[in-house]
Amino acid sequence: MEIIGQVQGDNLTELWEWVQSLTLSPNTIRSRYAPNRLVKCFGIASNLQSIAKGRARLYRVEDPGDRIRALGERLLPGWHSLLVCGGDTTIHWHRDHGHFEGMAVMVNLGEALYCERDYDKGELQHTLTDGLVIRINTKLLHKAVPLSTPRYNLTFRHLKPEFVPQVEETMAQLQLPVYSSTH
């Protein structure tokens, strides 16, 4: 993990207002590593399913708007995917999905404990403060535990080049099926 900046003052207030204005959903994508988090995807979204089993899909979803797109360009030029998480943002040990390159940039809102397992240094723990901007290696095992409520994070990522041609134009498949209680 590398600290690359801090969002402060009116910019931090505006970012909080933007995130709190979003409708985050528990049903858009589900992760076994973060079963209770609420999410919203921008740019390109992944259904977080298995690439090896052929169930992984990438979809174009809505644009976050000029200000957030520009923030992403400053933090991670050419970003493809923005994942906004809130609610119970506890995420257990994991590596990010194989569609994405290893380096990502995260803006933390609120406070959290961020841990990563570095192959050379062992387990490292970092306290993330409100507005902290970090560069993370998402291919290292990592986890995050909120220390404040509410807590949100915005993670900007690149797709691996070989997956860019696989992006589908609609997000219909991204919605989870609704199961009847009669099954």
Side-chain angles (χ1 to χ4, degrees), residues 26-159:
N27 297 322
T28 302
I29 55 174
R30 289 197 183 160
S31 165
R32 65 177 178 240
Y33 306 108
N36 299 317
R37 73 178 173 180
L38 304 174
V39 302
K40 185 163 180 90
C41 301
F42 294 93
I44 296 173
S46 168
N47 65 357
L48 302 182
Q49 298 297 306
S50 171
I51 293 172
K53 294 179 182 177
R55 295 192 307 250
R57 298 287 183 269
L58 295 166
Y59 300 91
R60 291 197 189 284
V61 291
E62 72 183 274
D63 181 86
D66 293 342
R67 290 184 62 115
I68 301 301
R69 189 176 344 97
L71 173 65
E73 284 302 315
R74 281 195 306 275
L75 299 175
L76 187 68
W79 67 274
H80 297 111
S81 178
L82 167 59
L83 178 64
V84 178
C85 298
D88 178 0
T89 55
T90 297
I91 186 161
H92 302 284
W93 289 110
H94 74 288
R95 290 181 182 90
D96 281 15
H97 197 276
H99 284 129
F100 300 108
E101 290 186 351
M103 297 312 270
V105 173
M106 184 175 74
V107 179
N108 186 72
L109 299 178
E111 294 184 353
L113 181 64
Y114 182 81
C115 303
E116 57 190 1
R117 288 192 182 144
D118 184 279
Y119 301 113
D120 298 323
K121 300 176 187 173
E123 186 174 317
L124 304 171
Q125 295 186 354
H126 312 277
T127 300
L128 305 182
T129 57
D130 195 24
L132 193 66
V133 181
I134 60 174
R135 182 176 294 116
I136 55 177
N137 179 347
T138 64
K139 300 309 176 189
L140 290 179
L141 280 172
H142 59 281
K143 71 176 183 176
V145 179
L147 298 175
S148 67
T149 302
R151 189 249 171 178
Y152 298 91
N153 62 50
L154 292 79
T155 304
F156 293 93
R157 299 181 288 198
H158 288 125
L159 288 177

